Each structure stands twice: as structure tokens, then as C-alpha cells.
């Protein structure tokens, strides 16, 4: 899933935007290479949609500059940017048929009717809707409408494709199907794409790189695997994937004392003073559970057991404020039941810590 | 048993509604067809309408005022509500407050105040009434447009059109107006019917339009005045039926295309 080439297509430099005294975006910079699909992920209000709308020319920025193909487009309006956009809300023009919607951008560009028709049929074929060119939007399902919106956005051969949570209004099964279609089409057309979503599974599964945003700033941008395995901040570690927050304490050698173990601090973790109370961030797959007593492990009681297909998730009470969750294969989990006494051990060699 | 009771009570309510609505109209029609001296039924009262010298003058001026009111509504209220939905959410409360004012300000105050506020060259023309009619109709036209636009993601449609390269002008013509067509139709219909039937303000300002003329002539011919009222009612219904028919034709076309699409898909 690597980018097609390393040529810089989009460069957002030091963007900022505020609403009154609230900074929606602060000194935000991002570069995208040609044909790359970058997702912006983050909680509501973190500024991810603001970035997309600024790039699309729909909202102004209060600072910073935007370059596409090396050209400064900071001051240009949305109709001059040639960026296709798919919105969260259904945005097909209700008075136009499917084909007319797809052809709209081409008609604006005064392309001949024959070429328009040919292009729209090609795109409808691509989104598997070539059998419904004369349907009106109100005759289509939500998933079909978003596929038409995607075809319409691609019809103008956009410099950048902007996807603003296009799947959030769809049901779970259709979401998975359409996100895979989006990725297939994006790879086929080699369109540089910025995808905004709050669903981490969605972002991780289709993107070349994922940027995690928090409070108007980009915390980390990396490949999905690097983001999950090597988070650079406590926020990323706790936001991406499931993370247990287990109380611990820093010892004299700069290690964290947690669950009867002493583990080195990750180099990405914030520094901490001796004796400081912290929360150790531990992934469920980095915890080992055993029904036998172990002096190096923490004893606990199994409270919940959730079957997830090949994996089973156990919730264990270790005497901490919250249950600690552990993933194990469903086959191994057969030996353990709710109410069993167990020992829990951390298997990772280094940990990140967050404030209590 | 429960369903049977429900079904009977449904028919009873429908019958009561029909009697409440049809009975007065039927009685009025019957009354308008009577002749003086109880000499049977006749269309004389209806032919009397057309024999009046001022009939065509007054109905023409009322129609012109209604058309002018519709145009002013299109040029002022429609853009204002559109702005409210596109970029003016922060002004929503102010707009809603202003839109309700014509209902709470007495017509006498409105008539005098508005007349004084008008530029003198309009004060001397009967067409000034169109501006007042628009103001009186605002509580209804505003609500009709506001509700109509709330059901459309107008801002998103505009942004989609702009991002596809359309200028704002083109977006208005190709996207905004067609998307708002039903809401605009409803607002224009309200503006026209309210203008066409407005009496109090027109009478206070000493202008003569169709409703004022009806009141005047009815004092000399009671049966004729009822015939006139029925004639006006028929006009309003005709307009309503025309609007409804136009909408039904569009719906049928859309349904036909859907059926054709489904048949093609099956083949």
C-alpha cells in the first residue's frame, strides 16, 4: 500500500483556523505524495474536517498556505481548485438523474454531450451502477447515492479527492463494502485522496498513511502498522486500538513498576520523575494470562468473557479502577471461564505512560 | 371487534368533516342560484357579476397585485430564507422574530406606518399595496420556505456544486432553485392567495381591489355578493388544483422512470 511515487502533490503549511477564541486548527502541516491516500483520524472536534474543508476551499484559513502541484492556491475559491468531494450528508442534486449528476462537473467545463455521456457511463460502470443512469437520487439507497457521489467527484479528474466521512451514514455491512470499493477505485485511478473519518478501522484498512489529530494538531502521521505498533504520544497509543490504562509508579532506574513487574519506559514516552504515579498503556495482546500462580504476575479474577470469532476478549479485575482487557485465541480461552482466578503478566519490553 | 369500531369511527369522523365543509358551501351555492321573489333557481346572479362595469377592472388590478406580490416575495423573502439556511444560522432567531411581527402588529398600525414609510412616488400608486401584502404574507411564506428548506441539505448541495467547478450564479440556477422548487411554489401560492383576498388594509388605505369591490357591491345585491364569493372560491380552488396537478404529473413521470429502470434492471 505504498504511494505511487514520492512527488509532492499537496503541501499544507502551518494552517491555522479559530472560531472566536477556540483554535480549531493550530500550525497544521501535511504533505501528500501523488496517488497517496491519507486518512485523518481523531475524536469529534479535533479539526480533521476543518483541514479537509480548507483544502477544498470551502472554509478559509486564518494562517498558513496551501500548495497543490507546487502552485500556491491559498486564495483561490473552491470552484477553481478542481477537487472532487464526497460529503457525509447525501449531496446528489435531487432534480437530476444519476447520469446528470455524474456529468454535472463536465457540463460546467463545457465538455461535449457525447464525451460526457461516455465518461459518466465509464464511471458508473466502475461504481457498479451503470444499470441505473436514469434513476433519481430518491430512488437509490444510501450506499448507491454515495457511490454516485464518488463517480461524480471522479468525473472531473480531480487533482485531489476529498472524502468527508462519506460512510458514516451507512449501515455496517455497506460501509465495509463501499470503503473497499473506494480504495480499489482510488488505486485504479491513482487519485491523491484525503479521507476524513472518526472510525479507526476504516482509516487503518484503506490508507497508505493515517494522521491522528487531537485538539487542532497533528499528533502523528504514519503507516497504519507503525501508528499501532510505535505510537509517538500517549494520545495516539490510547486512541488507536484498544489500550489498557494500568496504574503504575516510576522507580529509581526510570522504569515503570506495574503489575508486580518492572518494565523500561519507551523512548517515545514522556519523561517521568522517580516515585511519580502514572498510567501504563498496555495493548490487550501484550498481556499474558495464566491459570497458574506466578510470583512475577498479578493475580486477578475473570469478570467478562466475549467471544469474537478467532479471538476471545477477557475482562479481568486486577484490583485496579477499571477492568483490564486481554485478547487470546478462542482455542486457548476454552480453558478459562468467568469467575476463574488467574495471573496476568505484561509481555512487552517497553511501555508508554500517561498522566494519572 | 376493535377494528370494526375503529373503522366505523373513522367513517363517522370523515362524514362529520365532509358535512362541516360541504354543507355551508353547498348552501351558499344554492343560495347564490336563487332568484329574487323566490321564482326558482337561475344563473342570473352569476351573469350579474360579469355585467358590472368595475368587475374586470377590479379583478385585473387584484391579479396584477397578486402577481407583483409573488415577484417581490421571490426577490426578497426567498433570498433571505436561502441566506438563512446557507450562511445565516446565527441570525435565525432575529429572522423568526421579524417574520412573526406582521401577525402581532395590528393592521391599522401597519397600514399607517407602512404608508408613511413608503417613498412618496409609490404612495400615490395602488401598486404600493403589493409591498404591504408581501409583509402581511411573510409569517406564512417565511414558515413555508423555512420548513421546505429544512428538509434539503442546501449548504451541502451548494458546496458540492461549487467544488465541481460551478460559479455561484450557475449553482443558483442549476441547483438551488430546482431543489427549492416545491417550497418556492408553496410560498408563491400563499403570497398570491393572501394578496388576492386581502381586504382590511386595502380598505383602510382607501384603495379598491376585488375584495373591497365585492363588499361594496354586496350591499346592493345580497344574492349577487354570495355568487361573487362562490366565484372567488372557485378561482382559489382552480389555482390549488392546477398546482396539485402539476406536482402529480411530475411524481408520475418520476415513478414511470423508476418502473422503466427496474424493468431494464430485470431484463
Amino acid at each position: 500500500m505504498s504511494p505511487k511515487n514520492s512527488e509532492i502533490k499537496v503541501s499544507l503549511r502551518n494552517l491555522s483556523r479559530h472560531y472566536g477564541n477556540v483554535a480549531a486548527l493550530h500550525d497544521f502541516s501535511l504533505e501528500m505524495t501523488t496517488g497517496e491516500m491519507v486518512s485523518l483520524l481523531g475524536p469529534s472536534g479535533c479539526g480533521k474536517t476543518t483541514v479537509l474543508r480548507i483544502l477544498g476551499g470551502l472554509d478559509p484559513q486564518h494562517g498558513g498556505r496551501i500548495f497543490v502541484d507546487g502552485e500556491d492556491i491559498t486564495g483561490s475559491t473552491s470552484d477553481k481548485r478542481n477537487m472532487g468531494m464526497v460529503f457525509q450528508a447525501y449531496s446528489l442534486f435531487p432534480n437530476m438523474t444519476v447520469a446528470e449528476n455524474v456529468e454535472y462537473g463536465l457540463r460546467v467545463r463545457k465538455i461535449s454531450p457525447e464525451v460526457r455521456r461516455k465518461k459518466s457511463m465509464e464511471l458508473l460502470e466502475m461504481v457498479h451502477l451503470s444499470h441505473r443512469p436514469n434513476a433519481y437520487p430518491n430512488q437509490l439507497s444510501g450506499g448507491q447515492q454515495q457511490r454516485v457521489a464518488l463517480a461524480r467527484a471522479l468525473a472531473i479528474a480531480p487533482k485531489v479527492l476529498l472524502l468527508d466521512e462519506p460512510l458514516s451514514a451507512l449501515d455496517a455491512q455497506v460501509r465495509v463494502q463501499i470503503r473497499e470499493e473506494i480504495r480499489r477505485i482510488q488505486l485504479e485511478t491513482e487519485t491523491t485522496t484525503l479521507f476524513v473519518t472518526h472510525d479507526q478501522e476504516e482509516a487503518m484498512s484503506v490508507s497508505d498513511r493515517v494522521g491522528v489529530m487531537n485538539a487542532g494538531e497533528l499528533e502523528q502521521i504514519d503507516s497504519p502498522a507503525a501508528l499501532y505498533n510505535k505510537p509517538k504520544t500517549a494520545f495516539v497509543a490510547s486512541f488507536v486500538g484498544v489500550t489498557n490504562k494500568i496504574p503504575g509508579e516510576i522507580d529509581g532506574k526510570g522504569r515503570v513498576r506495574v503489575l508486580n513487574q518492572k518494565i523500561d519506559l519507551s523512548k517515545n514516552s514522556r519523561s517521568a520523575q522517580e516515585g511519580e504515579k502514572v498510567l501504563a498503556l498496555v495493548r490487550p495482546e501484550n498481556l499474558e494470562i495464566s491459570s497458574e500462580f506466578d510470583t512475577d504476575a498479578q493475580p486477578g479474577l475473570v469478570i467478562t468473557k466475549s467471544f469474537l470469532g478467532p479471538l476471545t476478549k477477557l475482562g479481568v479485575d486486577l484490583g485496579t479502577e477499571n477492568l483490564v482487557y486481554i485478547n487470546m485465541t478462542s482455542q486457548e480461552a476454552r480453558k478459562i471461564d468467568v469467575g476463574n482466578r488467574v495471573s496476568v503478566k505484561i509481555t512487552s519490553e517497553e511501555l508508554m505512560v500517561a498522566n494519572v | 371487534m376493535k377494528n370494526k369500531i375503529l373503522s366505523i369511527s373513522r367513517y363517522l369522523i370523515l362524514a362529520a368533516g365532509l358535512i362541516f365543509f360541504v354543507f355551508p358551501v353547498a348552501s351558499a351555492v344554492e343560495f347564490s342560484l336563487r332568484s329574487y321573489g323566490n321564482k326558482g333557481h337561475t344563473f342570473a346572479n352569476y351573469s350579474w357579476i360579469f355585467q358590472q362595469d368595475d368587475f374586470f377592472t377590479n379583478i385585473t388590478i387584484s391579479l396584477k397585485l397578486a402577481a407583483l406580490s409573488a415577484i417581490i416575495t421571490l426577490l426578497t423573502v426567498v433570498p433571505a430564507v436561502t441566506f438563512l439556511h446557507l450562511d445565516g444560522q446565527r441570525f435565525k432567531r432575529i429572522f423568526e422574530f421579524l417574520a412573526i411581527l406582521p401577525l402581532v402588529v395590528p393592521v391599522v398600525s401597519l397600514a399607517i406606518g407602512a404608508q408613511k414609510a413608503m417613498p412618496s412616488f409609490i404612495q400615490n400608486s395602488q401598486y404600493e399595496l403589493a409591498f404591504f401584502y408581501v409583509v402581511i404574507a411573510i409569517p406564512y411564506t417565511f414558515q413555508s420556505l423555512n420548513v421546505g428548506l429544512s428538509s434539503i441539505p442546501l449548504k451541502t448541495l451548494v458546496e458540492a456544486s461549487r467544488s465541481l467547478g460551478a460559479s455561484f450564479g450557475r449553482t443558483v440556477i442549476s441547483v438551488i432553485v430546482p431543489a427549492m422548487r416545491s417550497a418556492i411554489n408553496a410560498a408563491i401560492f400563499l403570497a398570491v392567495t393572501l394578496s388576492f383576498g386581502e381586504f382590511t388594509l386595502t380598505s383602510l388605505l382607501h384603495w379598491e381591489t376585488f375584495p373591497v369591490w365585492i363588499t361594496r357591491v354586496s350591499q346592493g345585491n345580497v344574492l349577487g355578493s354570495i355568487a361573487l364569493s362562490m366565484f372567488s372560491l372557485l378561482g382559489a380552488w382552480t389555482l390549488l388544483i392546477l398546482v396539485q396537478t402539476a406536482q402529480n404529473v411530475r411524481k408520475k413521470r418520476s415513478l414511470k422512470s423508476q418502473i422503466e429502470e427496474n424493468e431494464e434492471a430485470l431484463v
Side-chain angles (χ1 to χ4, degrees), chain A residues 178-202:
Chain A
I178 295 185
R179 84 178 182 213
E180 280 164 10
E181 275 188 38
I182 288 176
R183 180 55 167 168
R184 173 182 60 80
I185 291 165
Q186 187 267 332
L187 288 170
E188 259 177 60
T189 56
E190 296 182 12
T191 309
T192 310
T193 303
L194 183 64
F195 183 26
V196 161
T197 179
H198 62 267
D199 183 324
Q200 43 180 291
E201 189 190 316
E202 218 163 81

mmCIF file of all heavy atoms in Angstrom, chain A residues 178-202:
data_model
loop_
_atom_site.group_PDB
_atom_site.id
_atom_site.type_symbol
_atom_site.label_atom_id
_atom_site.label_comp_id
_atom_site.label_asym_id
_atom_site.label_seq_id
_atom_site.Cartn_x
_atom_site.Cartn_y
_atom_site.Cartn_z
ATOM 1 N N ILE A 178 -18.294 -0.528 0.710
ATOM 2 C CA ILE A 178 -18.002 0.700 -0.038
ATOM 3 C C ILE A 178 -16.589 1.215 0.242
ATOM 4 O O ILE A 178 -15.929 1.744 -0.644
ATOM 5 C CB ILE A 178 -19.076 1.771 0.219
ATOM 6 C CG1 ILE A 178 -20.393 1.226 -0.366
ATOM 7 C CG2 ILE A 178 -18.727 3.102 -0.434
ATOM 8 C CD1 ILE A 178 -21.542 2.141 -0.341
ATOM 9 N N ARG A 179 -16.120 1.033 1.474
ATOM 10 C CA ARG A 179 -14.756 1.518 1.741
ATOM 11 C C ARG A 179 -13.745 0.718 0.903
ATOM 12 O O ARG A 179 -12.747 1.266 0.437
ATOM 13 C CB ARG A 179 -14.441 1.468 3.230
ATOM 14 C CG ARG A 179 -13.971 0.138 3.747
ATOM 15 C CD ARG A 179 -13.658 0.210 5.206
ATOM 16 N NE ARG A 179 -13.171 -1.075 5.649
ATOM 17 C CZ ARG A 179 -13.377 -1.580 6.850
ATOM 18 N NH1 ARG A 179 -14.069 -0.911 7.739
ATOM 19 N NH2 ARG A 179 -12.874 -2.750 7.172
ATOM 20 N N GLU A 180 -14.030 -0.556 0.687
ATOM 21 C CA GLU A 180 -13.135 -1.354 -0.171
ATOM 22 C C GLU A 180 -13.230 -0.909 -1.621
ATOM 23 O O GLU A 180 -12.237 -0.861 -2.343
ATOM 24 C CB GLU A 180 -13.458 -2.842 -0.015
ATOM 25 C CG GLU A 180 -12.830 -3.392 1.251
ATOM 26 C CD GLU A 180 -13.387 -4.731 1.695
ATOM 27 O OE1 GLU A 180 -14.128 -5.338 0.920
ATOM 28 O OE2 GLU A 180 -13.065 -5.139 2.823
ATOM 29 N N GLU A 181 -14.447 -0.550 -2.039
ATOM 30 C CA GLU A 181 -14.625 -0.032 -3.408
ATOM 31 C C GLU A 181 -13.878 1.281 -3.585
ATOM 32 O O GLU A 181 -13.243 1.520 -4.612
ATOM 33 C CB GLU A 181 -16.109 0.175 -3.699
ATOM 34 C CG GLU A 181 -16.788 -1.090 -4.169
ATOM 35 C CD GLU A 181 -18.204 -0.833 -4.639
ATOM 36 O OE1 GLU A 181 -18.449 0.200 -5.268
ATOM 37 O OE2 GLU A 181 -19.060 -1.681 -4.356
ATOM 38 N N ILE A 182 -13.964 2.130 -2.572
ATOM 39 C CA ILE A 182 -13.271 3.429 -2.630
ATOM 40 C C ILE A 182 -11.772 3.193 -2.825
ATOM 41 O O ILE A 182 -11.134 3.809 -3.675
ATOM 42 C CB ILE A 182 -13.530 4.271 -1.352
ATOM 43 C CG1 ILE A 182 -14.973 4.795 -1.366
ATOM 44 C CG2 ILE A 182 -12.544 5.430 -1.236
ATOM 45 C CD1 ILE A 182 -15.377 5.545 -0.118
ATOM 46 N N ARG A 183 -11.229 2.278 -2.033
ATOM 47 C CA ARG A 183 -9.784 2.008 -2.120
ATOM 48 C C ARG A 183 -9.416 1.427 -3.490
ATOM 49 O O ARG A 183 -8.423 1.821 -4.101
ATOM 50 C CB ARG A 183 -9.384 1.042 -1.003
ATOM 51 C CG ARG A 183 -7.906 0.687 -0.977
ATOM 52 C CD ARG A 183 -7.009 1.906 -0.902
ATOM 53 N NE ARG A 183 -5.648 1.552 -0.567
ATOM 54 C CZ ARG A 183 -4.630 2.382 -0.667
ATOM 55 N NH1 ARG A 183 -4.807 3.629 -1.096
ATOM 56 N NH2 ARG A 183 -3.420 2.002 -0.333
ATOM 57 N N ARG A 184 -10.259 0.497 -3.988
ATOM 58 C CA ARG A 184 -9.985 -0.104 -5.298
ATOM 59 C C ARG A 184 -9.974 0.978 -6.379
ATOM 60 O O ARG A 184 -9.040 1.074 -7.179
ATOM 61 C CB ARG A 184 -11.075 -1.154 -5.615
ATOM 62 C CG ARG A 184 -11.018 -1.728 -7.012
ATOM 63 C CD ARG A 184 -12.144 -2.722 -7.271
ATOM 64 N NE ARG A 184 -13.490 -2.175 -7.140
ATOM 65 C CZ ARG A 184 -14.105 -1.452 -8.082
ATOM 66 N NH1 ARG A 184 -13.491 -1.181 -9.212
ATOM 67 N NH2 ARG A 184 -15.322 -1.000 -7.892
ATOM 68 N N ILE A 185 -10.989 1.833 -6.356
ATOM 69 C CA ILE A 185 -11.099 2.880 -7.381
ATOM 70 C C ILE A 185 -9.958 3.891 -7.231
ATOM 71 O O ILE A 185 -9.382 4.353 -8.213
ATOM 72 C CB ILE A 185 -12.489 3.568 -7.271
ATOM 73 C CG1 ILE A 185 -13.570 2.563 -7.696
ATOM 74 C CG2 ILE A 185 -12.555 4.828 -8.127
ATOM 75 C CD1 ILE A 185 -14.978 2.960 -7.318
ATOM 76 N N GLN A 186 -9.629 4.208 -5.988
ATOM 77 C CA GLN A 186 -8.535 5.161 -5.744
ATOM 78 C C GLN A 186 -7.223 4.631 -6.310
ATOM 79 O O GLN A 186 -6.457 5.370 -6.919
ATOM 80 C CB GLN A 186 -8.435 5.418 -4.228
ATOM 81 C CG GLN A 186 -7.463 6.511 -3.839
ATOM 82 C CD GLN A 186 -6.078 5.983 -3.522
ATOM 83 O OE1 GLN A 186 -5.913 4.841 -3.091
ATOM 84 N NE2 GLN A 186 -5.079 6.818 -3.740
ATOM 85 N N LEU A 187 -6.979 3.329 -6.130
ATOM 86 C CA LEU A 187 -5.751 2.731 -6.658
ATOM 87 C C LEU A 187 -5.794 2.669 -8.191
ATOM 88 O O LEU A 187 -4.807 2.943 -8.854
ATOM 89 C CB LEU A 187 -5.545 1.330 -6.075
ATOM 90 C CG LEU A 187 -5.127 1.280 -4.599
ATOM 91 C CD1 LEU A 187 -5.202 -0.140 -4.064
ATOM 92 C CD2 LEU A 187 -3.731 1.857 -4.404
ATOM 93 N N GLU A 188 -6.979 2.347 -8.723
ATOM 94 C CA GLU A 188 -7.149 2.266 -10.185
ATOM 95 C C GLU A 188 -6.895 3.616 -10.845
ATOM 96 O O GLU A 188 -6.239 3.710 -11.867
ATOM 97 C CB GLU A 188 -8.589 1.841 -10.501
ATOM 98 C CG GLU A 188 -8.741 0.366 -10.871
ATOM 99 C CD GLU A 188 -10.200 0.020 -11.097
ATOM 100 O OE1 GLU A 188 -10.843 0.612 -11.978
ATOM 101 O OE2 GLU A 188 -10.680 -0.843 -10.361
ATOM 102 N N THR A 189 -7.471 4.657 -10.252
ATOM 103 C CA THR A 189 -7.381 5.991 -10.867
ATOM 104 C C THR A 189 -6.135 6.752 -10.400
ATOM 105 O O THR A 189 -5.861 7.837 -10.921
ATOM 106 C CB THR A 189 -8.628 6.825 -10.523
ATOM 107 O OG1 THR A 189 -8.755 6.890 -9.091
ATOM 108 C CG2 THR A 189 -9.893 6.218 -11.103
ATOM 109 N N GLU A 190 -5.447 6.204 -9.413
ATOM 110 C CA GLU A 190 -4.254 6.842 -8.844
ATOM 111 C C GLU A 190 -4.530 8.284 -8.414
ATOM 112 O O GLU A 190 -3.744 9.194 -8.654
ATOM 113 C CB GLU A 190 -3.092 6.787 -9.843
ATOM 114 C CG GLU A 190 -2.660 5.365 -10.136
ATOM 115 C CD GLU A 190 -1.480 5.280 -11.090
ATOM 116 O OE1 GLU A 190 -0.850 6.326 -11.338
ATOM 117 O OE2 GLU A 190 -1.201 4.172 -11.577
ATOM 118 N N THR A 191 -5.683 8.472 -7.808
ATOM 119 C CA THR A 191 -6.068 9.818 -7.373
ATOM 120 C C THR A 191 -5.566 10.077 -5.954
ATOM 121 O O THR A 191 -5.824 9.260 -5.049
ATOM 122 C CB THR A 191 -7.612 9.962 -7.389
ATOM 123 O OG1 THR A 191 -8.084 9.531 -8.657
ATOM 124 C CG2 THR A 191 -8.046 11.391 -7.141
ATOM 125 N N THR A 192 -4.878 11.173 -5.781
ATOM 126 C CA THR A 192 -4.428 11.562 -4.438
ATOM 127 C C THR A 192 -5.677 11.842 -3.604
ATOM 128 O O THR A 192 -6.545 12.609 -4.029
ATOM 129 C CB THR A 192 -3.553 12.835 -4.517
ATOM 130 O OG1 THR A 192 -2.565 12.606 -5.516
ATOM 131 C CG2 THR A 192 -2.917 13.178 -3.200
ATOM 132 N N THR A 193 -5.756 11.216 -2.443
ATOM 133 C CA THR A 193 -7.022 11.275 -1.691
ATOM 134 C C THR A 193 -6.795 11.606 -0.219
ATOM 135 O O THR A 193 -5.919 11.031 0.425
ATOM 136 C CB THR A 193 -7.749 9.905 -1.790
ATOM 137 O OG1 THR A 193 -7.946 9.604 -3.167
ATOM 138 C CG2 THR A 193 -9.091 9.919 -1.082
ATOM 139 N N LEU A 194 -7.616 12.520 0.269
ATOM 140 C CA LEU A 194 -7.616 12.826 1.702
ATOM 141 C C LEU A 194 -8.944 12.330 2.264
ATOM 142 O O LEU A 194 -10.017 12.750 1.822
ATOM 143 C CB LEU A 194 -7.466 14.331 1.951
ATOM 144 C CG LEU A 194 -7.391 14.748 3.425
ATOM 145 C CD1 LEU A 194 -6.148 14.189 4.093
ATOM 146 C CD2 LEU A 194 -7.405 16.260 3.571
ATOM 147 N N PHE A 195 -8.872 11.433 3.216
ATOM 148 C CA PHE A 195 -10.052 10.766 3.756
ATOM 149 C C PHE A 195 -10.188 11.122 5.230
ATOM 150 O O PHE A 195 -9.289 10.858 6.024
ATOM 151 C CB PHE A 195 -9.843 9.254 3.571
ATOM 152 C CG PHE A 195 -10.984 8.376 3.995
ATOM 153 C CD1 PHE A 195 -12.287 8.828 4.015
ATOM 154 C CD2 PHE A 195 -10.763 7.048 4.349
ATOM 155 C CE1 PHE A 195 -13.333 7.999 4.385
ATOM 156 C CE2 PHE A 195 -11.798 6.198 4.721
ATOM 157 C CZ PHE A 195 -13.087 6.687 4.741
ATOM 158 N N VAL A 196 -11.295 11.741 5.570
ATOM 159 C CA VAL A 196 -11.508 12.124 6.965
ATOM 160 C C VAL A 196 -12.511 11.167 7.591
ATOM 161 O O VAL A 196 -13.569 10.913 7.028
ATOM 162 C CB VAL A 196 -12.027 13.580 7.028
ATOM 163 C CG1 VAL A 196 -12.698 13.860 8.352
ATOM 164 C CG2 VAL A 196 -10.884 14.548 6.811
ATOM 165 N N THR A 197 -12.168 10.631 8.718
ATOM 166 C CA THR A 197 -13.072 9.695 9.399
ATOM 167 C C THR A 197 -12.796 9.664 10.900
ATOM 168 O O THR A 197 -11.710 10.045 11.337
ATOM 169 C CB THR A 197 -12.916 8.267 8.816
ATOM 170 O OG1 THR A 197 -13.787 7.382 9.515
ATOM 171 C CG2 THR A 197 -11.503 7.748 8.925
ATOM 172 N N HIS A 198 -13.794 9.247 11.660
ATOM 173 C CA HIS A 198 -13.550 9.056 13.089
ATOM 174 C C HIS A 198 -13.479 7.562 13.406
ATOM 175 O O HIS A 198 -13.294 7.167 14.552
ATOM 176 C CB HIS A 198 -14.635 9.735 13.932
ATOM 177 C CG HIS A 198 -15.996 9.172 13.678
ATOM 178 N ND1 HIS A 198 -16.853 9.720 12.751
ATOM 179 C CD2 HIS A 198 -16.626 8.105 14.190
ATOM 180 C CE1 HIS A 198 -17.955 8.993 12.721
ATOM 181 N NE2 HIS A 198 -17.845 8.016 13.580
ATOM 182 N N ASP A 199 -13.619 6.739 12.331
ATOM 183 C CA ASP A 199 -13.615 5.285 12.514
ATOM 184 C C ASP A 199 -12.211 4.752 12.222
ATOM 185 O O ASP A 199 -11.750 4.755 11.077
ATOM 186 C CB ASP A 199 -14.639 4.686 11.543
ATOM 187 C CG ASP A 199 -14.777 3.180 11.712
ATOM 188 O OD1 ASP A 199 -13.763 2.523 11.990
ATOM 189 O OD2 ASP A 199 -15.899 2.674 11.533
ATOM 190 N N GLN A 200 -11.511 4.299 13.268
ATOM 191 C CA GLN A 200 -10.109 3.900 13.069
ATOM 192 C C GLN A 200 -9.957 2.672 12.185
ATOM 193 O O GLN A 200 -9.011 2.580 11.411
ATOM 194 C CB GLN A 200 -9.385 3.718 14.392
ATOM 195 C CG GLN A 200 -10.144 3.000 15.436
ATOM 196 C CD GLN A 200 -9.311 2.898 16.688
ATOM 197 O OE1 GLN A 200 -8.321 2.190 16.715
ATOM 198 N NE2 GLN A 200 -9.699 3.607 17.721
ATOM 199 N N GLU A 201 -10.912 1.753 12.256
ATOM 200 C CA GLU A 201 -10.821 0.559 11.422
ATOM 201 C C GLU A 201 -10.878 0.962 9.943
ATOM 202 O O GLU A 201 -10.110 0.463 9.116
ATOM 203 C CB GLU A 201 -11.975 -0.391 11.767
ATOM 204 C CG GLU A 201 -11.838 -1.743 11.102
ATOM 205 C CD GLU A 201 -13.094 -2.578 11.251
ATOM 206 O OE1 GLU A 201 -13.654 -2.613 12.355
ATOM 207 O OE2 GLU A 201 -13.511 -3.183 10.245
ATOM 208 N N GLU A 202 -11.773 1.904 9.657
ATOM 209 C CA GLU A 202 -11.934 2.417 8.300
ATOM 210 C C GLU A 202 -10.624 3.048 7.808
ATOM 211 O O GLU A 202 -10.137 2.737 6.727
ATOM 212 C CB GLU A 202 -13.016 3.504 8.354
ATOM 213 C CG GLU A 202 -13.943 3.561 7.185
ATOM 214 C CD GLU A 202 -15.152 4.374 7.588
ATOM 215 O OE1 GLU A 202 -15.087 5.619 7.562
ATOM 216 O OE2 GLU A 202 -16.156 3.760 7.953
#
